[in-house]
Amino acid sequence: MAKKKIRIFISSPGDVQQERKIARKVISELNELYSRFVEIEVLMWEDFPLTVDSTFQEGIDFFLKEDVIDFAIFILWSRLGTPLCSKFLKPDGTPYQSGTEYEYDLMWDLYRKKGAPRILTYKKTTEPLFSSRNADELLELIRQKEGVKSFLAEH
């Protein structure tokens, strides 16, 4: 009898690298613990190959749209992430705030159509430290934090 395979996609912006490492480690430990019964595969953007003829998001999309994803985990804190190029627009024609927002909508659309993936969203609750930076950097940090707040309220 073949083992069941569970695929977990983890999406997050760059401000939660430590949490991403912890998530990968926990999933790896679960995979070892239950390896007789199930294979758990974790998928993160850094695992996807990047081809010369596509954007980074298109490379991620190839795997997310073609393969079954059982769980989509979103980890957020003080940033929503980097805006996408104009190829990626919401159905209403407005731009996505970030790849994280785009990936959430992609997973939500798949869930509505197929009943999978199950979507889990986590937010780090400690307040980010704003070290002394120039005004433009501080404004960007505030804009990003407000983007996370808006995204969570909307979704």
Side-chain angles (χ1 to χ4, degrees):
M1 183 166 148
K3 287 193 280 186
K4 177 168 175 51
K5 187 173 197 173
I6 297 174
R7 302 187 77 196
I8 302 172
F9 172 63
I10 299 178
S11 176
S12 67
D15 63 338
V16 287
Q17 288 303 312
Q18 186 62 30
E19 290 75 12
R20 291 173 65 78
K21 288 178 186 176
I22 292 168
R24 186 187 292 272
K25 183 177 185 288
V26 167
I27 293 167
S28 177
E29 290 171 1
L30 288 170
N31 193 37
E32 281 184 41
L33 187 62
Y34 296 105
S35 64
R36 290 182 31 222
F37 311 105
V38 66
E39 178 185 350
I40 305 171
E41 180 181 13
V42 71
L43 303 166
M44 296 178 157
W45 64 263
E46 55 264 51
D47 300 328
F48 299 124
L50 180 61
T51 61
V52 296
D53 62 340
S54 65
T55 67
F56 195 69
Q57 192 64 53
E58 287 171 325
I60 294 171
D61 280 7
F62 175 78
F63 290 94
L64 296 183
K65 289 179 178 178
E66 297 300 315
D67 292 330
V68 173
I69 305 296
D70 298 292
F71 293 92
I73 298 174
F74 293 84
I75 304 171
L76 299 169
W77 184 28
S78 64
R79 291 181 41 79
L80 196 53
T82 306
L84 296 176
C85 70
S86 60
K87 285 184 179 182
F88 298 93
L89 299 174
K90 294 180 184 182
D92 68 3
T94 60
Y96 280 98
Q97 293 181 67
S98 70
T100 305
E101 181 185 34
Y102 172 79
E103 290 160 2
Y104 186 93
D105 282 359
L106 177 63
M107 294 295 105
W108 180 243
D109 189 49
L110 288 171
Y111 177 77
R112 284 195 316 256
K113 290 177 183 171
K114 300 179 180 181
R118 301 296 292 180
I119 300 170
L120 305 163
T121 303
Y122 297 93
K123 183 179 183 296
K124 184 174 179 175
T125 57
T126 59
E127 282 299 317
L129 299 174
F130 294 117
S131 60
S132 65
R133 300 171 189 254
N134 69 44
D136 289 339
E137 288 175 329
L138 285 172
L139 287 172
E140 176 61 14
L141 289 170
I142 291 167
R143 187 188 72 72
Q144 284 284 333
K145 190 171 181 198
E146 288 301 313
V148 170
K149 188 176 172 182
S150 153
F151 173 82
L152 290 171
E154 181 182 340
H155 295 88

